[in-house]
Amino acid sequence: MPYVSTLVSDTPTPRIWSRIKKIAGKRSRTPTPVLTTNDGAIGDAFQAANLLVHHFNADVVVVGGGIIGACAALSLQQAGKNTLLLDQYPPPHHKGSSGGKARITRLANFGPPQLMAMLEDAMARWSHLSTLVQEELVSPAPMLVVGQKTENVEKMARSVEKSGHKPTWLTVAQTNAKYKTRFTEDFTMFEDHSAGVMRADRCLHAVLKLFRECGGGVEGGWKVDAVEAGDGWVSVRGPRGTVTAQHLLLCPGPWASQLLQPLGIHLPLQPLKTKAFLYKNPSFPFACLLDVTSLRSYTYALPAMTPGSVMKIEPGESDGEGDTAFLREKVAKYVSRYLPFGREEREEECWFTESPDKEFILDRHPHHSNIVYAIGFSGTGFKIAPTVGFILACMLTGRDPGFDITPFGADRFSTTRFKSRL
Ligand SMILES: Cc1cc2nc3c(=O)[nH]c(=O)nc-3n(C[C@H](O)[C@H](O)[C@H](O)COP(=O)(O)OP(=O)(O)OC[C@H]3O[C@@H](n4cnc5c(N)ncnc54)[C@H](O)[C@@H]3O)c2cc1C
């Protein structure tokens, strides 16, 4: 539970101290910081600051209330750690990577072999979470995989087979009859029945609800702008106060560099803004679509999980700034050529954070093992979040997660430079 600290014994850093004096000075009517309360005047800045700057205590502080941080916070709280989740905006919100109502889940992937066990585990965890909140968070929906390059479609089919599922190959005529599409004879296609649609907003809501129910604390509007660490302790600071804890977990999504670089962790991450477009859907069945013609930028379509029949279509690329005109034109052209969608209803904005190999990064601070970070989840992190959250909780509590996470370490990037400034 939050408490007001005795800052006298906490020796605030010069920066905090100058802020305390500034706040206390602003609120007082005289040049000397004096704060008047119901009980009478309190005469010095230390005591004034006690009432103005909050100080929280926790076993673990998690920065980032997107789906990764929320799942990790839940796992930590379930493991008996008093956990405080901080976010610069009140979670859930739409400003990072976890907003919106729908995501795709599937087992097929082009990641390292170790990823498959994690994806399977994540499906089981989402199903368990659905049971706990008595709500269907993931609905089975076949994924129609299409492409004008047969080798790309075959590569995807092999990945489906590796997951223990059998791709259902379709002819162009069968596909166009079933999905009301207009694919041409140069396309190859199959259905992947391991896929599903996630109710993304309900998933995040459910995880935050369960976290609060088992005693976890959530603070929104709490931007962390400084971190200090020592042997077995960390302290994070922001305009709303200071949190001291034994462990720190950083899940900052597209804001990763702002938090990690001052800690001396420099990783080749690229935050990219992109757009998704929502179209009226009179006839495409409840299913997802993946076009793998270009391995550089897949085109996805999925049920938007909004009232009425609406499909969300994602261009799978970005110029970094989310240039709407360019992305809208690309999507509109694809829809008018191949898909039975109606008019465009609206657009959604989303950030993703790419590492050079498009795989995520789970690691520890090189000099402070009590600081762990999880970043770079690109366009695939939602489905795997409960498993990543469990692994992160194990990393912070000294338990064996039972997964080989070596391929996801930061040391795979030769450009990584660690210069700890803590
Ligand atoms: C268009 C699009 C489609 C996608 N489709 C799929 C899909 O079909 N399937 C799938 O599995 N994945 C998909 N993804 C990827 C998935 O959504 C992301 O990988 C996942 O949401 C990443 O979550 P996160 O918690 O790492 O980041 P975020 O959700 O961005 O959370 C980071 C949080 O940290 C907070 N924060 C940052 N800095 C600070 C600070 N200094 N102080 C306090 N708080 C801070 C932010 O406010 C934010 O809430 C898609 C992504 C996009 C953009």
Side-chain angles (χ1 to χ4, degrees), residues 166-412:
K166 206 169 152 18
T168 307
W169 291 96
L170 299 173
T171 64
V172 173
Q174 284 168 330
T175 302
N176 286 343
K178 181 170 176 180
Y179 288 90
K180 314 290 179 249
T181 46
R182 295 182 294 276
F183 290 115
T184 44
E185 284 303 325
D186 51 339
F187 275 85
T188 313
M189 56 263 295
F190 70 86
E191 283 172 335
D192 170 6
H193 291 276
S194 76
V197 187
M198 313 181 69
R199 289 174 167 77
D201 57 339
R202 301 305 305 161
C203 290
L204 183 50
H205 181 269
V207 174
L208 289 170
K209 175 176 178 278
L210 292 169
F211 173 60
R212 284 190 174 102
E213 277 174 9
C214 53
V218 181
E219 289 288 325
W222 218 108
K223 184 173 191 300
V224 170
D225 50 32
V227 174
E228 286 180 58
D231 198 8
W233 64 272
V234 288
S235 168
V236 301
R237 299 197 307 266
R240 287 188 52 201
T242 304
V243 181
T244 4
Q246 290 160 20
H247 304 279
L248 170 62
L249 174 59
L250 299 171
C251 305
W255 292 269
S257 297
Q258 289 169 30
L259 267 178
L260 293 175
Q261 285 186 4
L263 300 178
I265 300 172
H266 299 264
L267 289 163
L269 291 169
Q270 206 183 358
L272 295 167
K273 195 195 273 184
T274 189
K275 294 272 161 68
F277 300 91
L278 281 80
Y279 277 78
K280 265 272 174 241
N281 169 36
S283 50
F284 195 87
F286 189 81
C288 305
L289 171 77
L290 168 59
D291 188 320
V292 295
T293 300
S294 159
L295 286 182
R296 208 178 52 81
S297 67
Y298 299 156
T299 301
Y300 285 97
L302 63 156
M305 307 308 264
T306 53
S309 187
V310 179
M311 286 292 277
K312 177 160 108 162
I313 175 158
E314 297 163 359
E317 66 178 301
S318 161
D319 63 350
E321 298 298 321
D323 175 358
T324 309
F326 152 72
L327 297 173
R328 173 174 284 120
E329 195 185 318
K330 183 187 164 187
V331 164
K333 213 162 139 189
Y334 190 86
V335 169
S336 76
R337 282 187 76 176
Y338 303 121
L339 301 179
F341 297 172
R343 64 169 196 281
E344 184 199 320
E345 295 231 304
R346 64 189 166 87
E347 62 177 47
E348 281 178 1
E349 193 174 276
C350 186
W351 284 93
F352 53 92
T353 315
E354 275 189 4
S355 70
D357 60 7
K358 297 208 168 54
E359 298 301 334
F360 54 85
I361 305 169
L362 306 181
D363 219 318
R364 287 178 198 279
H365 190 280
H367 306 303
H368 295 281
S369 59
N370 55 339
I371 301 181
V372 166
Y373 55 90
I375 46 175
F377 288 86
S378 301
T380 61
F382 211 101
K383 63 175 89 56
I384 205 172
T387 302
V388 169
F390 168 74
I391 292 170
L392 293 167
C394 291
M395 287 171 78
L396 287 164
T397 54
R399 288 175 298 156
D400 175 7
F403 295 97
D404 176 7
I405 56 165
T406 40
F408 305 105
D411 57 2
R412 69 188 194 269

Side-chain angles (χ1 to χ4, degrees), residues 64 68 87-88 93 97-98 103-104 224 254 350 379-383:
I68 300 293
D87 200 292
Q88 58 190 339
H93 63 82
S97 302
S98 303
R103 293 287 189 281
I104 296 170
V224 170
C350 186
T380 61
F382 211 101
K383 63 175 89 56

